[in-house]
């Protein structure tokens, strides 16, 4: 299924309540941006996965696009664990910002609790 499709994607959207806070993805290289990202004005789907280093990887298929900052990795850890237990991929909406060659990747997240 095309991850930019408006139909329901297999997997669970993280956060479950929807998201609107842009969280900058660390280590993102503009050259790694998926081609569908430039065609999508409303964002595109990426997978989130826990890593052995206690940070959350942002993935496009098997390609690691970057990592969430440590505080956000801790914030989404339980929800990602829940997805793993249910056998569902954890998906999030991502957007590219900036001019080609110098773009940043943001994952849209939202939690009501106070963040440090």
């Amino acid at each position: 299924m095309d991850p930019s499709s408006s139909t329901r994607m297999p997997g669970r959207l993280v956060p479950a309540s929807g998201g609107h806070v842009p969280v900058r993805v660390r280590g993102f290289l503009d050259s790694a941006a998926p081609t569908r990202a430039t065609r999508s004005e409303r964002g595109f789907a990426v997978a989130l996965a826990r890593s052995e280093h206690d940070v959350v990887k942002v993935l496009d298929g098997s390609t690691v696009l970057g990592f969430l900052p440590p505080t956000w990795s801790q914030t989404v850890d339980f929800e990602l664990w829940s997805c793993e237990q249910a056998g569902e991929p954890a998906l999030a909406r991502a957007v590219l910002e900036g001019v080609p060659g110098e773009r940043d990747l943001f994952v849209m997240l939202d939690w009501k609790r106070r963040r440090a």
Side-chain angles (χ1 to χ4, degrees):
M1 176 179 285
D2 176 10
S4 64
S5 159
S6 61
T7 59
R8 177 152 161 61
M9 295 179 291
R12 187 184 305 176
L13 189 63
V14 173
S17 63
H20 64 271
V21 175
V23 176
R24 181 186 235 162
V25 175
R26 293 183 173 186
F28 172 71
L29 299 175
D30 195 13
S31 60
T35 54
R36 73 181 186 285
T38 57
R39 300 186 312 257
S40 178
E41 294 177 8
R42 295 185 316 141
F44 58 99
V46 293
L48 301 177
R50 299 184 316 153
S51 75
E52 61 277 359
H53 303 292
D54 296 328
V55 294
V56 173
K57 298 183 283 190
V58 178
L59 304 160
D60 178 50
S62 61
T63 303
V64 177
L65 298 175
F67 302 90
L68 294 183
T71 54
W72 279 101
S73 292
Q74 292 171 2
T75 302
V76 300
D77 184 68
F78 178 76
E79 196 160 359
L80 297 182
W81 177 84
S82 297
C83 289
E84 288 174 6
Q85 298 305 304
E88 296 179 309
L91 304 175
R93 188 168 54 97
V95 294
L96 286 174
E97 293 287 331
V99 297
E102 299 177 11
R103 296 178 294 187
D104 289 314
L105 179 67
F106 293 88
V107 175
M108 306 307 282
L109 300 174
D110 179 43
W111 268 264
K112 293 181 193 268
R113 74 180 198 190
R114 185 176 209 118
R115 291 179 284 284

